[in-house]
Coordinates of all heavy atoms in Angstrom, one line a residue:
Y130 N -12.0 -73.9 -68.5 CA -12.3 -73.0 -69.6 C -13.5 -73.5 -70.5 O -13.9 -72.7 -71.4 CB -11.0 -72.9 -70.5 CG -9.8 -72.3 -69.9 CD1 -8.7 -73.0 -69.7 CD2 -9.8 -71.0 -69.4 CE1 -7.5 -72.5 -69.1 CE2 -8.7 -70.4 -68.8 CZ -7.6 -71.2 -68.7 OH -6.5 -70.6 -68.1
G131 N -13.9 -74.7 -70.3 CA -14.9 -75.3 -71.2 C -14.3 -75.3 -72.6 O -13.1 -75.5 -72.9
Q132 N -15.2 -75.2 -73.6 CA -14.8 -75.0 -75.0 C -14.5 -73.5 -75.2 O -15.3 -72.7 -75.3 CB -15.8 -75.5 -75.9 CG -15.4 -75.3 -77.4 CD -14.1 -76.1 -77.7 OE1 -14.1 -77.3 -77.7 NE2 -13.1 -75.4 -78.0
A133 N -13.2 -73.2 -75.2 CA -12.7 -71.8 -75.2 C -13.1 -71.2 -76.6 O -13.2 -71.9 -77.6 CB -11.2 -71.7 -75.0
D134 N -13.3 -69.9 -76.5 CA -13.7 -69.1 -77.7 C -12.5 -69.0 -78.7 O -12.7 -68.9 -79.9 CB -14.3 -67.8 -77.4 CG -15.5 -67.9 -76.5 OD1 -16.3 -68.8 -76.8 OD2 -15.7 -67.0 -75.7
E135 N -11.3 -68.9 -78.1 CA -10.1 -68.7 -78.9 C -9.0 -69.7 -78.4 O -8.9 -70.1 -77.3 CB -9.6 -67.3 -78.7 CG -10.5 -66.2 -79.2 CD -9.9 -64.8 -79.1 OE1 -8.8 -64.7 -78.7 OE2 -10.6 -63.8 -79.4
L136 N -8.2 -70.1 -79.4 CA -7.1 -71.0 -79.2 C -5.8 -70.3 -79.7 O -5.8 -69.7 -80.7 CB -7.3 -72.3 -79.9 CG -8.5 -73.2 -79.4 CD1 -8.7 -74.4 -80.3 CD2 -8.2 -73.7 -77.9
P137 N -4.7 -70.5 -79.0 CA -4.5 -71.2 -77.7 C -5.2 -70.5 -76.6 O -5.5 -69.3 -76.7 CB -3.0 -71.3 -77.6 CG -2.5 -70.1 -78.3 CD -3.4 -69.9 -79.5
I138 N -5.4 -71.1 -75.5 CA -6.1 -70.6 -74.3 C -5.2 -69.9 -73.4 O -4.2 -70.5 -72.9 CB -6.8 -71.7 -73.6 CG1 -7.7 -72.5 -74.5 CG2 -7.6 -71.2 -72.4 CD1 -8.3 -73.8 -73.9
T139 N -5.5 -68.6 -73.1 CA -4.7 -67.9 -72.2 C -5.4 -67.9 -70.8 O -6.5 -68.2 -70.7 CB -4.5 -66.4 -72.6 OG1 -5.7 -65.7 -72.4 CG2 -4.1 -66.3 -74.0
E140 N -4.6 -67.4 -69.8 CA -5.2 -67.4 -68.4 C -6.3 -66.3 -68.3 O -7.1 -66.3 -67.4 CB -4.2 -67.1 -67.4 CG -3.2 -68.2 -67.1 CD -2.0 -68.3 -68.1 OE1 -2.0 -67.5 -69.1 OE2 -1.1 -69.1 -67.9
N141 N -6.4 -65.4 -69.3 CA -7.4 -64.4 -69.3 C -8.7 -64.9 -70.0 O -9.7 -64.1 -70.0 CB -6.9 -63.1 -70.1 CG -5.8 -62.5 -69.3 OD1 -5.8 -62.4 -68.1 ND2 -4.8 -61.9 -70.0
A142 N -8.7 -66.1 -70.6 CA -9.9 -66.6 -71.2 C -11.0 -66.8 -70.1 O -10.7 -67.1 -68.9 CB -9.6 -68.0 -71.8
P143 N -12.2 -66.5 -70.5 CA -13.3 -66.6 -69.4 C -13.5 -68.0 -68.9 O -13.3 -69.0 -69.7 CB -14.6 -66.2 -70.2 CG -14.2 -66.3 -71.7 CD -12.8 -66.1 -71.8
V144 N -13.7 -68.1 -67.6 CA -14.0 -69.4 -67.0 C -15.5 -69.6 -67.2 O -16.3 -68.9 -66.7 CB -13.6 -69.4 -65.5 CG1 -14.1 -70.7 -64.8 CG2 -12.1 -69.2 -65.3
K145 N -15.8 -70.6 -68.0 CA -17.2 -70.8 -68.5 C -17.9 -71.8 -67.6 O -17.3 -72.5 -66.7 CB -17.2 -71.3 -69.9 CG -16.7 -70.3 -70.9 CD -16.9 -70.8 -72.3 CE -16.5 -69.8 -73.4 NZ -16.8 -70.3 -74.7
E146 N -19.2 -71.9 -67.8 CA -20.0 -73.0 -67.2 C -19.3 -74.3 -67.6 O -19.1 -74.6 -68.8 CB -21.4 -73.0 -67.7 CG -22.3 -74.0 -67.0 CD -23.8 -73.9 -67.4 OE1 -24.1 -72.9 -68.0 OE2 -24.5 -74.9 -67.0
A147 N -19.1 -75.1 -66.6 CA -18.3 -76.4 -66.8 C -19.1 -77.4 -67.7 O -20.3 -77.4 -67.6 CB -18.0 -77.0 -65.5
E148 N -18.3 -78.1 -68.5 CA -18.9 -79.1 -69.3 C -19.2 -80.5 -68.6 O -19.8 -81.4 -69.1 CB -18.0 -79.4 -70.5 CG -17.8 -78.2 -71.4 CD -18.9 -78.0 -72.4 OE1 -19.7 -78.9 -72.6 OE2 -19.0 -76.8 -72.9
S149 N -18.6 -80.6 -67.4 CA -18.7 -81.8 -66.6 C -18.7 -81.4 -65.1 O -18.1 -80.4 -64.7 CB -17.6 -82.8 -66.9 OG -16.4 -82.3 -66.4
P150 N -19.3 -82.3 -64.2 CA -19.1 -82.1 -62.8 C -17.7 -82.0 -62.3 O -17.3 -81.2 -61.4 CB -19.9 -83.3 -62.2 CG -20.9 -83.6 -63.2 CD -20.2 -83.4 -64.5
Y151 N -16.8 -82.8 -62.9 CA -15.4 -82.8 -62.6 C -14.8 -81.4 -62.8 O -14.2 -80.8 -62.0 CB -14.6 -83.8 -63.4 CG -13.1 -83.5 -63.4 CD1 -12.3 -83.7 -62.2 CD2 -12.4 -83.0 -64.5 CE1 -11.0 -83.4 -62.2 CE2 -11.1 -82.7 -64.5 CZ -10.4 -82.9 -63.3 OH -9.0 -82.6 -63.3
G152 N -15.1 -80.8 -64.0 CA -14.6 -79.5 -64.3 C -15.2 -78.4 -63.4 O -14.5 -77.5 -63.0
N153 N -16.4 -78.6 -63.0 CA -17.1 -77.7 -62.1 C -16.4 -77.7 -60.7 O -16.3 -76.7 -60.0 CB -18.6 -78.0 -61.9 CG -19.4 -76.8 -61.5 OD1 -19.0 -75.7 -61.8 ND2 -20.4 -77.0 -60.7
T154 N -16.0 -78.9 -60.2 CA -15.3 -79.0 -58.9 C -14.0 -78.2 -59.0 O -13.6 -77.6 -58.0 CB -15.0 -80.4 -58.5 OG1 -14.1 -81.1 -59.4 CG2 -16.3 -81.2 -58.4
K155 N -13.3 -78.2 -60.1 CA -12.1 -77.5 -60.2 C -12.4 -76.0 -60.2 O -11.7 -75.1 -59.6 CB -11.3 -77.8 -61.5 CG -10.7 -79.3 -61.4 CD -9.8 -79.5 -60.2 CE -9.2 -80.8 -60.2 NZ -8.3 -81.0 -59.0
K156 N -13.4 -75.6 -60.9 CA -13.8 -74.2 -60.9 C -14.2 -73.7 -59.5 O -13.8 -72.6 -59.1 CB -15.0 -74.0 -61.9 CG -15.6 -72.7 -62.0 CD -16.8 -72.7 -63.0 CE -17.6 -71.4 -63.0 NZ -18.7 -71.5 -64.0
I157 N -15.0 -74.5 -58.8 CA -15.4 -74.1 -57.5 C -14.2 -74.1 -56.5 O -14.0 -73.2 -55.7 CB -16.5 -75.1 -56.9 CG1 -17.8 -75.0 -57.7 CG2 -16.7 -74.9 -55.4 CD1 -18.7 -76.1 -57.5
G158 N -13.3 -75.1 -56.7 CA -12.1 -75.1 -55.9 C -11.2 -73.9 -56.0 O -10.8 -73.3 -55.0
E159 N -11.0 -73.5 -57.2 CA -10.3 -72.2 -57.5 C -10.9 -71.0 -56.8 O -10.2 -70.2 -56.2 CB -10.2 -72.0 -59.0 CG -9.1 -72.8 -59.7 CD -8.8 -72.3 -61.1 OE1 -9.2 -71.1 -61.4 OE2 -8.3 -73.0 -61.9
Q160 N -12.2 -70.9 -56.9 CA -12.9 -69.8 -56.3 C -12.8 -69.8 -54.8 O -12.6 -68.7 -54.2 CB -14.4 -69.7 -56.8 CG -15.1 -68.4 -56.4 CD -14.5 -67.2 -57.0 OE1 -14.4 -67.2 -58.2 NE2 -14.1 -66.2 -56.2
M161 N -12.9 -71.0 -54.2 CA -12.8 -71.1 -52.8 C -11.4 -70.6 -52.3 O -11.3 -69.9 -51.3 CB -13.0 -72.6 -52.3 CG -14.4 -73.0 -52.4 SD -14.5 -74.8 -52.3 CE -13.5 -75.2 -50.9
I162 N -10.4 -71.0 -53.0 CA -9.0 -70.7 -52.6 C -8.8 -69.2 -52.8 O -8.2 -68.5 -52.0 CB -8.0 -71.5 -53.5 CG1 -8.1 -73.0 -53.1 CG2 -6.6 -71.0 -53.3 CD1 -7.5 -73.9 -54.1
K163 N -9.3 -68.6 -53.9 CA -9.1 -67.2 -54.2 C -9.8 -66.4 -53.1 O -9.3 -65.4 -52.6 CB -9.7 -66.9 -55.5 CG -9.5 -65.4 -55.9 CD -10.1 -65.1 -57.3 CE -9.9 -63.7 -57.7 NZ -10.4 -63.4 -59.1
D164 N -11.0 -66.8 -52.7 CA -11.8 -66.1 -51.7 C -11.0 -66.2 -50.3 O -11.0 -65.2 -49.6 CB -13.1 -66.8 -51.5 CG -14.1 -66.5 -52.6 OD1 -13.8 -65.6 -53.4 OD2 -15.1 -67.2 -52.8
L165 N -10.4 -67.3 -50.0 CA -9.6 -67.4 -48.8 C -8.4 -66.5 -48.8 O -8.0 -65.8 -47.8 CB -9.2 -68.8 -48.5 CG -8.4 -69.1 -47.2 CD1 -9.2 -68.6 -46.0 CD2 -8.1 -70.6 -47.1
C166 N -7.7 -66.4 -50.0 CA -6.6 -65.5 -50.1 C -7.0 -64.1 -49.9 O -6.3 -63.3 -49.3 CB -6.0 -65.7 -51.5 SG -5.0 -67.2 -51.7
N167 N -8.2 -63.7 -50.4 CA -8.7 -62.3 -50.3 C -8.9 -61.9 -48.8 O -8.8 -60.7 -48.5 CB -9.9 -62.1 -51.1 CG -9.6 -62.1 -52.6 OD1 -8.5 -61.9 -53.0 ND2 -10.6 -62.4 -53.4
C168 N -9.3 -62.9 -48.0 CA -9.6 -62.5 -46.6 C -8.6 -62.9 -45.6 O -8.7 -62.6 -44.4 CB -11.0 -63.1 -46.2 SG -10.9 -64.9 -45.9
N169 N -7.5 -63.6 -46.0 CA -6.5 -64.1 -45.1 C -5.1 -63.8 -45.6 O -4.6 -64.4 -46.6 CB -6.7 -65.6 -44.9 CG -5.8 -66.1 -43.8 OD1 -4.7 -65.6 -43.5 ND2 -6.1 -67.3 -43.3
D170 N -4.4 -62.8 -45.1 CA -3.1 -62.3 -45.6 C -2.0 -63.3 -45.4 O -1.0 -63.2 -46.0 CB -2.7 -61.0 -44.9 CG -3.6 -59.8 -45.3 OD1 -4.2 -59.9 -46.4 OD2 -3.7 -58.8 -44.5
S171 N -2.3 -64.3 -44.5 CA -1.2 -65.3 -44.2 C -1.3 -66.5 -45.2 O -0.5 -67.4 -45.2 CB -1.4 -65.9 -42.8 OG -2.5 -66.6 -42.7
F172 N -2.3 -66.4 -46.1 CA -2.5 -67.5 -47.0 C -2.2 -67.1 -48.5 O -2.8 -66.1 -48.9 CB -4.0 -68.0 -47.0 CG -4.2 -69.3 -47.7 CD1 -4.1 -70.5 -47.0 CD2 -4.6 -69.4 -49.0 CE1 -4.3 -71.7 -47.6 CE2 -4.9 -70.5 -49.6 CZ -4.7 -71.8 -48.9
A173 N -1.3 -67.8 -49.1 CA -0.9 -67.4 -50.5 C -1.0 -68.7 -51.4 O -0.6 -69.8 -50.9 CB 0.5 -66.9 -50.6
A174 N -1.5 -68.6 -52.6 CA -1.8 -69.8 -53.4 C -1.5 -69.6 -54.9 O -1.6 -68.4 -55.4 CB -3.2 -70.2 -53.2
I175 N -1.2 -70.6 -55.5 CA -1.1 -70.7 -57.0 C -2.0 -71.9 -57.5 O -1.8 -73.0 -57.0 CB 0.3 -70.8 -57.5 CG1 1.1 -69.5 -57.2 CG2 0.4 -71.2 -58.9 CD1 2.6 -69.6 -57.6
A176 N -2.8 -71.6 -58.4 CA -3.6 -72.7 -59.1 C -2.9 -73.0 -60.4 O -2.7 -72.0 -61.3 CB -5.0 -72.2 -59.3
L177 N -2.6 -74.2 -60.6 CA -2.0 -74.6 -61.9 C -3.0 -75.3 -62.7 O -3.6 -76.4 -62.3 CB -0.8 -75.6 -61.6 CG 0.4 -75.0 -60.9 CD1 1.5 -76.0 -60.7 CD2 0.9 -73.7 -61.6
R178 N -3.3 -74.8 -63.9 CA -4.4 -75.3 -64.7 C -3.7 -76.3 -65.7 O -3.1 -75.8 -66.7 CB -5.1 -74.2 -65.5 CG -6.0 -73.4 -64.5 CD -6.7 -72.2 -65.2 NE -7.6 -71.5 -64.3 CZ -8.1 -70.3 -64.5 NH1 -7.8 -69.7 -65.6 NH2 -8.9 -69.8 -63.6
Y179 N -3.7 -77.6 -65.4 CA -3.1 -78.6 -66.3 C -3.8 -78.8 -67.5 O -5.1 -78.7 -67.6 CB -3.0 -79.9 -65.6 CG -2.5 -80.0 -64.2 CD1 -2.9 -81.1 -63.4 CD2 -1.7 -79.1 -63.6 CE1 -2.5 -81.2 -62.1 CE2 -1.3 -79.2 -62.3 CZ -1.7 -80.3 -61.6 OH -1.3 -80.4 -60.3
F180 N -3.1 -79.1 -68.6 CA -3.7 -79.6 -69.8 C -3.7 -81.2 -69.6 O -4.2 -81.7 -68.7 CB -3.1 -79.0 -71.0 CG -3.7 -77.6 -71.2 CD1 -3.4 -76.6 -70.3 CD2 -4.6 -77.3 -72.2 CE1 -4.0 -75.3 -70.4 CE2 -5.2 -76.1 -72.3 CZ -4.9 -75.1 -71.4
N181 N -3.1 -81.9 -70.5 CA -3.3 -83.4 -70.4 C -1.9 -84.1 -70.1 O -1.1 -84.3 -71.0 CB -3.9 -83.9 -71.7 CG -5.3 -83.5 -71.9 OD1 -5.6 -82.4 -72.1 ND2 -6.2 -84.5 -71.9
P182 N -1.7 -84.4 -68.9 CA -0.4 -85.1 -68.5 C -0.4 -86.5 -69.0 O -1.4 -87.3 -68.9 CB -0.4 -85.0 -67.0 CG -1.8 -84.9 -66.6 CD -2.5 -84.2 -67.7
I183 N 0.8 -86.9 -69.5 CA 1.0 -88.3 -70.0 C 2.4 -88.7 -69.7 O 3.2 -87.9 -69.3 CB 0.7 -88.5 -71.5 CG1 1.6 -87.5 -72.3 CG2 -0.8 -88.2 -71.8 CD1 1.5 -87.8 -73.8
G184 N 2.7 -90.0 -69.9 CA 4.1 -90.4 -69.7 C 4.4 -90.9 -68.3 O 3.5 -91.0 -67.4
G185 N 5.7 -91.2 -68.1 CA 6.1 -91.6 -66.7 C 7.5 -91.3 -66.5 O 8.2 -90.7 -67.4
H186 N 8.0 -91.6 -65.3 CA 9.4 -91.3 -65.0 C 10.4 -92.1 -65.8 O 10.1 -93.2 -66.2 CB 9.7 -91.5 -63.5 CG 10.9 -91.0 -63.0 ND1 12.1 -91.7 -63.0 CD2 11.2 -89.7 -62.4 CE1 13.1 -90.9 -62.4 NE2 12.5 -89.7 -62.1
S187 N 11.5 -91.5 -66.2 CA 12.5 -92.2 -67.1 C 13.0 -93.5 -66.5 O 13.4 -94.4 -67.2 CB 13.6 -91.3 -67.4 OG 14.3 -90.9 -66.2
S188 N 12.9 -93.6 -65.2 CA 13.4 -94.9 -64.5 C 12.4 -96.0 -64.7 O 12.7 -97.2 -64.4 CB 13.6 -94.6 -63.0 OG 12.3 -94.3 -62.4
A189 N 11.1 -95.7 -65.1 CA 10.0 -96.7 -65.1 C 9.7 -97.2 -63.7 O 9.1 -98.3 -63.6 CB 10.3 -97.8 -66.1
K190 N 10.0 -96.5 -62.7 CA 9.7 -96.9 -61.3 C 8.3 -96.4 -60.9 O 7.7 -96.9 -60.0 CB 10.8 -96.3 -60.4 CG 12.2 -96.9 -60.6 CD 12.3 -98.4 -60.3 CE 13.7 -98.8 -60.4 NZ 13.8 -100.3 -60.1
I191 N 7.9 -95.3 -61.5 CA 6.5 -94.8 -61.3 C 5.9 -94.3 -62.6 O 6.7 -94.0 -63.5 CB 6.5 -93.6 -60.3 CG1 7.4 -92.4 -60.7 CG2 6.9 -94.0 -58.9 CD1 7.3 -91.2 -59.9
G192 N 4.6 -94.3 -62.7 CA 3.9 -94.0 -63.9 C 2.4 -94.0 -63.6 O 1.9 -94.1 -62.5
E193 N 1.6 -93.8 -64.7 CA 0.2 -93.8 -64.5 C -0.3 -95.3 -64.3 O 0.0 -96.1 -65.1 CB -0.5 -93.2 -65.8 CG -2.0 -92.9 -65.6 CD -2.5 -92.0 -66.7 OE1 -1.8 -91.7 -67.7 OE2 -3.7 -91.6 -66.6
L194 N -1.1 -95.5 -63.2 CA -1.5 -96.8 -62.9 C -3.0 -96.8 -62.6 O -3.5 -96.8 -61.5 CB -0.8 -97.3 -61.6 CG -1.0 -98.7 -61.2 CD1 -0.5 -99.7 -62.3 CD2 -0.2 -99.0 -59.9
P195 N -3.8 -96.7 -63.7 CA -5.3 -96.7 -63.5 C -5.8 -98.0 -62.9 O -5.3 -99.1 -63.2 CB -5.8 -96.4 -64.9 CG -4.8 -97.0 -65.8 CD -3.5 -96.8 -65.1
I196 N -6.8 -97.8 -62.0 CA -7.5 -99.0 -61.4 C -8.7 -99.3 -62.3 O -9.5 -98.4 -62.5 CB -7.8 -98.8 -60.0 CG1 -6.5 -98.7 -59.1 CG2 -8.7 -99.9 -59.4 CD1 -6.8 -98.3 -57.7
G197 N -8.8 -100.5 -62.8 CA -9.9 -100.8 -63.7 C -9.7 -100.3 -65.1 O -8.5 -100.2 -65.5
V198 N -10.7 -100.1 -65.9 CA -10.6 -99.6 -67.2 C -10.1 -98.2 -67.2 O -10.7 -97.3 -66.6 CB -12.0 -99.7 -68.0 CG1 -11.8 -99.2 -69.4 CG2 -12.5 -101.1 -68.0
P199 N -9.0 -97.9 -68.0 CA -8.5 -96.5 -68.0 C -9.5 -95.5 -68.5 O -10.2 -95.8 -69.5 CB -7.3 -96.6 -68.9 CG -6.9 -98.1 -69.0 CD -8.2 -98.8 -68.8
Q200 N -9.5 -94.3 -67.9 CA -10.3 -93.2 -68.4 C -9.6 -92.3 -69.3 O -10.2 -91.5 -70.0 CB -10.9 -92.5 -67.2 CG -11.7 -93.3 -66.2 CD -13.1 -93.7 -66.8 OE1 -13.7 -92.9 -67.5 NE2 -13.5 -94.9 -66.6
N201 N -8.2 -92.4 -69.3 CA -7.4 -91.5 -70.1 C -6.9 -92.2 -71.3 O -6.7 -93.4 -71.3 CB -6.3 -90.9 -69.2 CG -6.8 -90.0 -68.1 OD1 -7.8 -89.4 -68.2 ND2 -6.0 -90.0 -67.0
L202 N -6.5 -91.4 -72.3 CA -6.1 -92.0 -73.6 C -4.9 -92.9 -73.5 O -4.9 -94.0 -74.0 CB -5.9 -90.9 -74.6 CG -5.3 -91.3 -76.0 CD1 -6.3 -92.3 -76.7 CD2 -5.1 -90.1 -76.8
V203 N -3.8 -92.3 -73.0 CA -2.5 -93.0 -73.1 C -2.4 -94.4 -72.4 O -1.9 -95.3 -73.0 CB -1.3 -92.1 -72.8 CG1 0.0 -92.8 -72.7 CG2 -1.2 -90.9 -73.8
P204 N -2.9 -94.5 -71.2 CA -2.8 -95.8 -70.6 C -3.7 -96.8 -71.3 O -3.4 -98.0 -71.3 CB -3.3 -95.6 -69.1 CG -4.0 -94.3 -69.1 CD -3.3 -93.5 -70.2
F205 N -4.8 -96.3 -71.9 CA -5.6 -97.2 -72.8 C -4.8 -97.7 -74.0 O -4.9 -98.8 -74.4 CB -6.9 -96.6 -73.2 CG -8.1 -97.5 -73.3 CD1 -9.3 -97.3 -72.6 CD2 -8.0 -98.6 -74.2 CE1 -10.3 -98.2 -72.7 CE2 -9.1 -99.5 -74.3 CZ -10.2 -99.3 -73.6
V206 N -4.1 -96.7 -74.5 CA -3.2 -97.1 -75.7 C -2.2 -98.1 -75.3 O -2.0 -99.1 -76.0 CB -2.5 -95.8 -76.2 CG1 -1.3 -96.2 -77.1 CG2 -3.5 -94.9 -76.9
T207 N -1.5 -97.9 -74.2 CA -0.4 -98.8 -73.8 C -1.0 -100.2 -73.4 O -0.4 -101.2 -73.7 CB 0.4 -98.3 -72.6 OG1 -0.4 -98.0 -71.5 CG2 1.2 -97.0 -73.1
Q208 N -2.1 -100.2 -72.7 CA -2.8 -101.5 -72.3 C -3.2 -102.3 -73.6 O -3.2 -103.5 -73.6 CB -3.9 -101.3 -71.4 CG -3.4 -100.9 -70.0 CD -4.6 -100.9 -68.9 OE1 -5.7 -101.3 -69.2 NE2 -4.3 -100.3 -67.8
T209 N -3.7 -101.5 -74.6 CA -4.0 -102.2 -75.8 C -2.8 -102.8 -76.5 O -2.8 -103.9 -77.0 CB -4.8 -101.2 -76.8 OG1 -5.9 -100.7 -76.1 CG2 -5.2 -101.9 -78.1
A210 N -1.7 -102.0 -76.5 CA -0.5 -102.4 -77.2 C 0.1 -103.6 -76.5 O 0.7 -104.5 -77.2 CB 0.5 -101.3 -77.2
I211 N 0.0 -103.7 -75.2 CA 0.5 -104.9 -74.4 C -0.4 -106.1 -74.4 O 0.0 -107.2 -74.1 CB 0.9 -104.4 -73.0 CG1 2.0 -105.2 -72.4 CG2 -0.3 -104.6 -72.1 CD1 3.4 -104.8 -72.8
G212 N -1.6 -105.9 -74.9 CA -2.6 -107.0 -75.0 C -3.6 -107.1 -73.9 O -4.4 -108.1 -73.8
I213 N -3.6 -106.2 -72.9 CA -4.6 -106.2 -71.8 C -6.0 -105.9 -72.4 O -7.0 -106.5 -72.0 CB -4.2 -105.2 -70.7 CG1 -2.9 -105.7 -70.1 CG2 -5.3 -105.1 -69.7 CD1 -2.3 -104.7 -69.1
R214 N -6.0 -104.9 -73.3 CA -7.3 -104.6 -73.9 C -7.3 -105.1 -75.4 O -6.3 -105.0 -76.1 CB -7.5 -103.0 -73.9 CG -7.3 -102.4 -72.6 CD -8.4 -102.7 -71.6 NE -8.1 -102.4 -70.2 CZ -8.7 -102.8 -69.2 NH1 -9.8 -103.5 -69.3 NH2 -8.3 -102.4 -68.0
K215 N -8.5 -105.5 -75.9 CA -8.6 -106.0 -77.2 C -8.4 -104.9 -78.2 O -7.7 -105.1 -79.3 CB -9.9 -106.7 -77.4 CG -10.1 -107.3 -78.8 CD -11.5 -108.0 -78.9 CE -11.7 -108.6 -80.2 NZ -13.0 -109.3 -80.4
E216 N -9.0 -103.7 -78.0 CA -8.8 -102.6 -78.9 C -9.0 -101.3 -78.2 O -9.7 -101.3 -77.1 CB -9.8 -102.8 -80.1 CG -11.2 -102.7 -79.8 CD -12.1 -102.9 -81.0 OE1 -11.6 -103.1 -82.1 OE2 -13.3 -102.8 -80.9
L217 N -8.5 -100.3 -78.8 CA -8.7 -98.9 -78.3 C -9.9 -98.3 -78.8 O -10.2 -98.3 -80.0 CB -7.5 -98.1 -78.7 CG -7.6 -96.6 -78.5 CD1 -7.5 -96.2 -77.0 CD2 -6.4 -95.9 -79.2
S218 N -10.8 -97.8 -78.0 CA -12.0 -97.0 -78.4 C -11.6 -95.6 -78.5 O -11.2 -94.9 -77.5 CB -13.1 -97.3 -77.4 OG -13.5 -98.6 -77.4

Side-chain angles (χ1 to χ4, degrees):
Y130 298 117
Q132 180 57 67
D134 299 324
E135 295 182 4
L136 296 171
I138 303 169
T139 74
E140 289 84 354
N141 293 324
V144 173
K145 295 186 174 182
E146 182 175 350
E148 298 283 339
S149 68
Y151 164 72
N153 202 32
T154 65
K155 292 301 182 182
K156 179 180 172 182
I157 294 168
E159 282 194 19
Q160 189 62 55
M161 287 165 50
I162 294 165
K163 183 177 181 180
D164 290 343
L165 182 57
C166 285
N167 288 339
C168 74
N169 187 338
D170 290 338
S171 68
F172 192 88
I175 288 177
L177 299 180
R178 292 173 177 168
Y179 312 157
F180 280 68
N181 291 65
I183 59 172
H186 194 269
S187 59
S188 66
K190 298 291 186 181
I191 56 174
E193 190 167 7
L194 188 60
I196 294 175
V198 178
Q200 298 290 320
N201 296 330
L202 173 62
V203 171
F205 212 123
V206 166
T207 58
Q208 287 189 10
T209 303
I211 208 83
I213 296 173
R214 308 291 165 191
K215 183 178 179 181
E216 62 182 2
L217 168 70
S218 296

